[in-house]
Amino acid sequence: MSSGPTHTAPAVLISEVGPRDGLQSVKSTMPTADKLRWIDALHAAGLREIEVASFVPARLLPQMADAADVVRHAVQLPGLAVMALVPNRKGAQAALEAGAHKLTMPVSASHAHSLANVRKTPTEMVEEVRAIAQLRTELAPGAGLEVGISTAFGCTLQGLVPEDDVIRLAVQCVEAGADDVGLSDTVGHANPAQVRRLFRRLRTEIGGHAGAAHMHNTRGLGIANCLAAWDEGVRTFDASLGGLGGCPYAPGASGNVVTEDLVFMFEAMGVATGIDIPRLVAARAPLMAGLPGEPVYGMTAEAGLPLGFVPGTSLQA
Ligand code: ZN
């Protein structure tokens, strides 16, 4: 076997968040046609879950003004789970009407970040989760509803975030109707020991509802934190092509963990992702064409694949 797509069933789900997390945090707006080309290229590389847009008022995030058009395009791609970020009921309704398969809600464990990001307290956001769960049952009972606990590992506005606050909030979100609840290192404060501790507690408290790890690379620990989460049984990871990303309401936040590097890590470990690395690297072309001058990050795309690399196989000398 040489290089090429892996045929083993994926053992891990890489959820691409660049078209949402990435694009909302760069100043320029990617034209819709470029977004669609980029999403098509990500799908062609084997990604099967993409967070394609955020349903927020266009006056707050003009980069996301075409959210409904982007969703309507993405749902035509075979086998793709199309995810949309929704901060409130209005956004959830628009996303479901456009045909999104899955909604994701940011619920911040930091009071200060919650007010800055969605102008609601964490407790008010749990009530929003309950209302959206209800709306989902009425409009699209087959759609998924996931919550990402933002600033779960620390906050640029509040500083330390008590682990008890994070876990309590996760339990409340499940009780309010979320299918799964993941943990987000929105501003890159996390370390692997903390990631292990918090995901272990999360699994103890909410079992099979424990969701994705969403790591940022602000201090270079994104990949190490993903590996720590993997060791604790996490099997869904958010990542962003070229490491685009951040948070417009969290000063100092920088890019997500780089999809290319994360996929390389898993494939090199013998963990199948279903993603073809050369095609994934090729998906940078439409990204860069749509955002001229915007820096992209990542080591794998620069270094290339090691000689003799076989995807999905942990090679032994
Ligand atoms: Zn993020």
Side-chain angles (χ1 to χ4, degrees), residues 82-142:
V82 177
M83 186 134 88
L85 184 138
V86 297
N88 54 38
R89 266 166 282 194
K90 201 172 166 214
Q93 178 158 357
L96 291 172
E97 283 170 358
H101 301 128
K102 223 170 163 184
L103 306 178
T104 179
M105 292 185 65
V107 177
S108 191
S110 148
H111 206 267
H113 180 260
S114 191
L115 290 176
N117 196 29
V118 290
R119 299 195 189 90
K120 287 193 176 77
T121 65
T123 308
E124 287 169 337
M125 278 305 281
V126 172
E127 289 318 303
E128 204 65 34
V129 173
R130 199 182 311 281
I132 289 177
Q134 179 72 35
L135 185 74
R136 178 262 305 257
T137 308
E138 290 160 15
L139 289 184

Side-chain angles (χ1 to χ4, degrees), residues 1-8 44-46 263-264 267-268 271-281 305-306 308-313:
M1 198 167 86
S2 64
S3 63
T6 50
H7 298 292
T8 326
V263 170
F264 173 70
E267 292 286 342
V271 176
T273 63
I275 297 165
D276 179 69
I277 295 173
R279 284 190 187 181
L280 186 63
V281 171
L305 293 174
F309 175 75
V310 181
T313 314

Side-chain angles (χ1 to χ4, degrees), residues 13 20 22 27 41 43 58 65 78 99-100 126 133 135 158 161 166 173 192 201 221 223 258-259 276 293 306 314 317:
L13 177 68
R20 195 279 303 170
K27 283 210 173 61
H43 175 260
V126 172
L135 185 74
Q158 175 182 311
V161 174
V166 175
C173 287
R201 270 190 79 181
L221 297 190
I223 288 275
V258 176
T259 309
D276 179 69
S314 183

Side-chain angles (χ1 to χ4, degrees), residues 17 20-21 24 184-186 214-216 238 245-247 254 256:
V17 299
R20 195 279 303 170
D21 203 330
Q24 77 170 28
S184 301
D185 184 24
T186 314
H214 177 103
M215 297 297 165
H216 279 255
D238 292 356
C247 175
S254 77
N256 287 99

